[in-house]
Amino acid sequence: MSDTDSPRPRIAARRLELAAYPFTIPFRLLWGDADLLGHINNVAIGRYLDETRVSLFREIFAGGLSDTVPVRGMLATLTATYLAETLYPGEVTVATSIGAIGRTSITEWIAVFQGDRCTVVADAVIVWAGPEGPSPIPDFARAAAERHRFRDQP
């Protein structure tokens, strides 16, 4: 392995199963998001990941957020591992769940599926922060996140 090569992270087999994720959104693939060979580009994949991540976040946390709540969740990191090509034409299903809950952060696990094949897995870390910096996750958010945990068992 050269200095520029980096090993692919080890992905748990269950993360490659659509049924493990409690929240999904279908996306129709667009020709404009593909190259001449029909490969969907990374920018489009990033949009699918973001839209799904934000949709879950809004669904489970929006009821407790208001202008009077001084703490907000902010995206700290988003990492994606590409496992296979995503090909036009067709559609993908992007799935997400809560993978981990810490004191001040929540990690969403996201995956892109084309048919039965997982083509991308991603992790998004959302940090809860207020005017003074990172803050403990509010009780309502922690309870909502718990209800959308990754399904470890089939």
Side-chain angles (χ1 to χ4, degrees):
M1 183 180 297
S2 74
D3 290 340
T4 58
D5 291 339
S6 62
R8 178 180 285 186
R10 176 165 271 174
I11 308 295
R14 185 76 175 139
R15 292 237 6 224
L16 306 178
E17 298 175 20
L18 180 59
Y21 298 86
F23 188 86
T24 62
I25 297 178
F27 290 93
R28 185 175 59 87
L29 301 176
L30 303 174
W31 172 248
D33 290 337
D35 62 21
L36 292 176
L37 299 175
H39 305 111
I40 300 300
N41 69 54
N42 294 352
V43 173
I45 297 291
R47 283 195 310 266
Y48 306 148
L49 296 173
D50 265 352
E51 186 62 31
T52 305
R53 175 185 64 78
V54 169
S55 293
L56 175 66
F57 193 86
R58 289 176 56 86
E59 178 172 303
I60 65 177
F61 301 128
L65 296 177
S66 71
D67 291 337
T68 61
V69 176
V71 179
R72 296 274 192 261
M74 300 171 18
L75 180 65
T77 61
L78 176 64
T79 58
T81 301
Y82 292 80
L83 305 172
E85 296 170 326
T86 305
L87 300 170
Y88 177 89
E91 73 173 35
V92 292
T93 300
V94 185
T96 188
S97 66
I98 302 302
I101 302 172
R103 190 179 76 77
T104 62
S105 66
I106 293 171
T107 302
E108 272 189 62
W109 288 350
I110 313 164
V112 177
F113 293 88
Q114 190 164 37
D116 292 333
R117 183 179 61 157
C118 182
T119 61
V120 180
V121 292
D123 294 347
V125 177
I126 295 97
V127 174
W128 288 86
E132 305 299 318
S135 300
I137 299 168
D139 291 341
F140 80 88
R142 183 175 296 281
E146 286 290 349
R147 290 189 299 272
H148 290 77
R149 283 276 202 169
F150 185 76
R151 299 175 183 142
D152 287 323
Q153 303 299 319

